[in-house]
Amino acid sequence: MTDGKITTEATKYRNEGVQIASAVTLYKANGNEIADGFSLNTLIEEGYLQVIPDGWEASSDSVTRDLDEDDELSEKVCFEANSQAGYSYSSTEDDVFEYSFDTEYGIPYCSMSDLSSYVPCCVQ
C-alpha cells in the first residue's frame, strides 16, 4: 500500500470516528446512557446516524475500531490517524502499543487514562 493510500485510509478512519463520536455525544446529551453492551445500531434506530461504518464498536467511554495486529497496514493507518489528529506518543509511555515501524513511537490503548475522545483509538 502506498503512503497516499495509508493517508487516505487514515483520513477516512478519523472522519468516521468523529462522526460516530459526535452522534454518541449528542445521544448522551439527550439524557441517554451508554452501558456495556451498547450497540451502535441504537444510534441508527434513534435517528442519530444513518449508517455505521464497518468495524466500529462502542463502549461506555469510547468508540473504537480494532487494530488488526496481523496486518501491518492496519497499524500504519492507525498510527497515521493519530498523527493527522496531532497526537504523538512515546513507546515508553504507559498504556501504549509500540509502533512496529518506528519503535520510538507508540499507539495508545483505548484504556489509556485521560485519553482524549478525539484520539483515534484502535488498540484494545
Side-chain angles (χ1 to χ4, degrees):
M1 186 178 283
T2 65
D3 288 344
K5 179 72 172 171
I6 291 168
T7 300
T8 299
E9 286 297 310
T11 300
K12 177 183 169 200
Y13 175 82
R14 283 185 36 237
N15 289 338
E16 289 173 352
V18 166
Q19 179 184 21
I20 296 167
S22 296
V24 167
T25 298
L26 184 57
Y27 180 80
K28 289 163 106 176
N30 286 331
N32 300 297
E33 290 186 28
I34 296 182
D36 288 338
F38 176 79
S39 170
L40 289 178
N41 286 324
T42 302
L43 299 174
I44 294 173
E45 294 164 5
E46 299 288 327
Y48 292 91
L49 287 173
Q50 291 184 351
V51 297
I52 305 296
D54 288 337
W56 289 92
E57 296 180 16
S59 70
S60 58
D61 28 342
S62 63
V63 177
T64 65
R65 183 173 180 154
D66 286 343
L67 174 71
D68 181 352
E69 293 181 31
D70 295 326
D71 178 2
E72 70 179 40
L73 300 176
S74 178
E75 185 179 353
K76 286 181 177 180
V77 169
C78 183
F79 183 80
E80 175 65 18
N82 276 276
S83 296
Q84 287 178 3
Y87 297 101
S88 178
Y89 298 90
S90 167
S91 61
T92 61
E93 291 182 60
D94 290 337
D95 295 327
V96 171
F97 175 85
E98 186 177 273
Y99 182 51
S100 301
F101 301 95
D102 187 343
T103 58
E104 195 175 312
Y105 296 98
I107 300 170
Y109 286 104
C110 299
S111 60
M112 181 184 229
S113 62
D114 298 327
L115 185 67
S116 168
S117 61
Y118 295 103
V119 174
C121 186
C122 49
V123 183
Q124 297 295 335

